Amino acid sequence: MNYDELFNIAVKSAEKAYCKYSGFHVGASLLTSDGQVFTGCNVENASYSMTICAERTAIFNAVSNGFTEFTAIAVAGSLTDDFSKPCIPCGACLQVMSEFCNSDFRIILADGVHKLSDFMPKTFNEESIR
Ligand code: THU
């Protein structure tokens, strides 16, 4: 699985987005350390704040299937069928990524390969509450 393939899976997952309020389709594909891929899309709600992002859907999908070690996530988001503009993960999703992933974790966007630490150099984590 290379990063281009992973990004294409994210684009495909965006087709499943339940985004009737924003119209913004997001798909995420998460690569486990043993090479499996778990996907997610954003799922919106009439009570707007109950919406969940594609990235967290993918992570919770993987964790609920017994996987907690990840190497990369691809994210694709768009109002149209053009996914060429990068969709940077929101702060809540970065925080959830930081629970499971180290700073080397790769975030694959439309503009290339990033690291979790590019977007979140310092995190609140389990060390913070010891
Ligand atoms: N959204 C995601 O799924 N991931 C992101 O990284 C940013 C935002 C969703 C939430 C909402 O359904 C829509 O995009 C517009 O904010």
Side-chain angles (χ1 to χ4, degrees), residues 19 22 24 26 42 44 51-55 75 87-90 93:
C19 57
S22 73
F24 192 72
V26 188
N42 52 332
E44 298 188 344
T51 292
I52 186 161
C53 295
E55 299 92 317
V75 186
C87 177
I88 297 171
C90 79
C93 290

Side-chain angles (χ1 to χ4, degrees), residues 4-6 12 19 44 52 65-66 69 71 81-82 88 92 97-98 101 103-104 106 109 115 125-126:
D4 283 344
E5 290 169 335
L6 196 65
K12 197 83 191 136
C19 57
E44 298 188 344
I52 186 161
N65 279 287
E69 288 180 19
T71 58
D81 58 3
D82 175 5
I88 297 171
M97 287 175 204
S98 77
C101 311
S103 57
D104 259 1
R106 297 300 202 260
L109 305 180
K115 291 203 296 186
N125 58 32
E126 61 182 329

Side-chain angles (χ1 to χ4, degrees), residues 27 54 123:
T123 63

Side-chain angles (χ1 to χ4, degrees), residues 23-46:
F24 192 72
H25 291 73
V26 188
S29 50
L30 179 68
L31 187 61
T32 68
S33 50
D34 61 356
Q36 296 201 56
V37 176
F38 287 88
T39 61
C41 62
N42 52 332
V43 182
E44 298 188 344
N45 192 280

Side-chain angles (χ1 to χ4, degrees), residues 1 21 39 50 58-59 79 83 95 101 106 108-109 130:
M1 172 69 51
Y21 303 103
T39 61
M50 295 299 103
I59 293 168
L79 278 172
F83 288 90
Q95 178 64 28
C101 311
R106 297 300 202 260
I108 320 305
L109 305 180
R130 274 199 194 129

Side-chain angles (χ1 to χ4, degrees), residues 53-64:
C53 295
E55 299 92 317
R56 277 175 288 152
T57 306
I59 293 168
F60 297 155
N61 182 17
V63 173
S64 58

